[in-house]
Amino acid sequence: MTELGDYLATYAGKRVLITGGLGFIGSNLARRLVDLGARVTLVDSLIPDYGGNLFNIVGYEERLRVNIADVRDPYSMRALVRGQDLLFSLAGQVSHLDSMQDPFTDLEINARSSLSILEACRHENPDIKVVYAGTRQQYGKPRYLPLDEEHLQLPTDVNGVNKLAGEWYHMVYYNAYGLRTASLRLTNTYGPRQLLKHNRQGFIGWFVRLAVEGREIQLYGDGQQKRDLCFVDDVVDAFLRVGASDTANGEVYNLGGQAPITLLELAHLLVEIAGQGRVGLIPWPEERKRIDIGDVYSSYARIQAALGWQPLTPLDVGLAQMIDYYRQYHQHYW
């Protein structure tokens, strides 16, 4: 098992490329890497509604490089991967509804872009380490809980299919070409620097916005669907562990939260922490009901055994930090 001090120390002086680096997880990862002494380059297309936000790197602008480019462009990626030690592949389209309404764009951004990046690495920098951000959405409707990495993958939407394809490209390039790749299947991630302009990129950010604004958090059905949530600092720690460890090469790991919670319990907790807002129940919209998967939460036992990772941030603590952040900086996010 990797020792705590060892894996953090490995990043000092390392050249690190983060695609989607101005987005939610990418910017939090970038800030942490800069603090660890890494030489960080961010790549982001700043496509409206996808989460890239220059405010996410306020205070760090002079300590890292930003390249506005699209990961679907093979020429840009070939130039950008040269000389890098690690690549964290976080660019993507994460809205399940958008993927159903515009499946070809989702295919381009979540599947073809992975192939573009991997080909660039194979030809220009075969020694690079690549860590991909997958999703538990790849599993689809659970057949048992908690989800583990052996669970059948049967996505219920286009986004899940394309994220699954992106992950499999990484595994093929590991097996066929020896490229050092790994994938993390993320669960619901929450925390500062998340896109809150609309509600198409996951429920938790939108719930937080409604609470901060003192509005009603509306839940579909009876609100008894269970989910697990993982604070962004813990997710960043998982990426750092995987990036630093050759044990993780060719591996896929689930991330998970400390314990599942019903959406109704979560909404009431947010209202309590925010000191305002309210909770209401409404009928299911047809377009959302078609792709709903019921209860879902993941086992993180594999990454805990291999790399010592576990979620450390209590849910109420993480939500309080998130609410405080948006109370200060909401004008930059909605």
Side-chain angles (χ1 to χ4, degrees):
M1 189 173 79
T2 309
E3 293 298 327
L4 182 66
D6 291 341
Y7 80 90
L8 295 177
T10 62
Y11 287 99
K14 284 289 195 300
R15 294 160 298 182
V16 181
L17 184 69
I18 305 175
T19 64
L22 292 173
F24 168 39
I25 299 173
S27 63
N28 280 285
L29 175 60
R31 297 167 78 98
R32 185 79 173 102
L33 282 163
V34 168
D35 290 341
L36 292 171
R39 295 156 59 188
V40 177
T41 300
L42 307 184
V43 182
D44 205 294
S45 61
L46 286 178
I47 295 173
D49 291 339
Y50 281 17
N53 188 337
L54 285 164
F55 186 76
N56 284 341
I57 57 167
V58 161
Y60 284 71
E61 301 96 328
E62 305 302 319
R63 302 171 65 191
L64 46 71
R65 293 177 55 215
V66 176
N67 192 297
I68 307 303
D70 195 314
V71 291
R72 291 171 288 182
D73 178 358
Y75 302 104
S76 293
M77 290 313 303
R78 284 194 173 211
L80 286 163
V81 302
R82 291 177 193 141
Q84 302 292 339
D85 297 306
L86 294 107
L87 190 163
F88 292 101
S89 186
L90 294 167
Q93 196 290 111
V94 301
S95 170
H96 309 303
L97 280 177
D98 286 359
S99 80
M100 302 300 286
Q101 293 164 2
D102 187 2
F104 291 106
T105 296
D106 194 274
L107 174 69
E108 285 284 313
I109 292 175
N110 286 326
R112 189 178 184 278
S113 67
S114 288
L115 207 49
S116 172
I117 291 167
L118 289 165
E119 275 291 278
C121 292
R122 179 167 78 95
H123 290 288
E124 303 294 339
N125 189 355
D127 294 326
I128 197 171
K129 173 72 173 276
V130 183
V131 186
Y132 175 74
T135 171
R136 60 110 180 120
Q137 195 75 8
Q138 296 167 207
Y139 293 113
K141 190 175 179 63
R143 300 191 174 194
Y144 58 83
L145 290 169
L147 294 168
D148 59 28
E149 292 84 354
E150 303 307 315
H151 190 286
L152 176 70
Q153 295 184 76
L154 193 63
T156 59
D157 60 30
V158 169
N159 180 261
V161 171
N162 291 328
K163 290 296 289 183
L164 172 59
E167 181 183 276
W168 280 18
Y169 288 140
H170 284 75
M171 297 303 105
V172 166
Y173 275 63
Y174 169 75
N175 289 310
Y177 302 119
L179 202 63
R180 296 183 301 148
T181 62
S183 178
L184 292 175
R185 292 177 184 160
L186 309 184
T187 189
N188 301 291
T189 306
Y190 71 103
R193 303 181 181 88
Q194 193 165 4
L195 173 71
L196 300 192
K197 282 197 294 187
H198 54 69
N199 64 352
R200 301 198 307 276
Q201 290 198 0
F203 66 90
I204 181 61
W206 189 246
F207 283 8
V208 167
R209 175 174 173 174
L210 294 173
V212 168
E213 293 184 325
R215 295 159 62 189
E216 181 175 83
I217 300 173
Q218 294 186 335
L219 304 174
Y220 301 134
D222 59 9
Q224 292 303 307
Q225 308 97 302
K226 290 182 179 178
R227 294 288 186 272
D228 59 346
L229 292 90
C230 194
F231 191 60
V232 67
D233 289 357
D234 293 327
V235 173
V236 164
D237 182 61
F239 275 101
L240 294 176
R241 288 175 186 262
V242 171
S245 172
D246 281 337
T247 300
N249 295 347
E251 296 292 336
V252 172
Y253 300 112
N254 283 344
L255 300 189
Q258 291 180 328
I261 185 173
T262 69
L263 296 187
L264 187 62
E265 291 169 328
L266 175 63
H268 281 296
L269 178 60
L270 278 169
V271 168
E272 179 185 337
I273 294 170
Q276 59 184 11
R278 58 197 181 280
V279 181
L281 300 176
I282 61 172
W284 276 96
E286 192 55 41
E287 73 275 9
R288 287 188 178 269
K289 192 168 188 178
R290 278 199 302 269
I291 59 173
D292 180 63
I293 55 177
D295 294 345
V296 58
Y297 46 93
S298 299
S299 166
Y300 56 85
R302 177 181 284 184
I303 190 171
Q304 184 176 34
L307 302 177
W309 181 87
Q310 60 183 348
L312 297 176
T313 308
L315 184 59
D316 58 343
V317 172
L319 291 174
Q321 286 188 39
M322 191 174 177
I323 287 170
D324 287 345
Y325 181 83
Y326 289 110
R327 278 189 167 144
Q328 288 186 69
Y329 303 118
H330 61 84
Q331 69 272 22
H332 299 285
Y333 293 91
W334 65 77

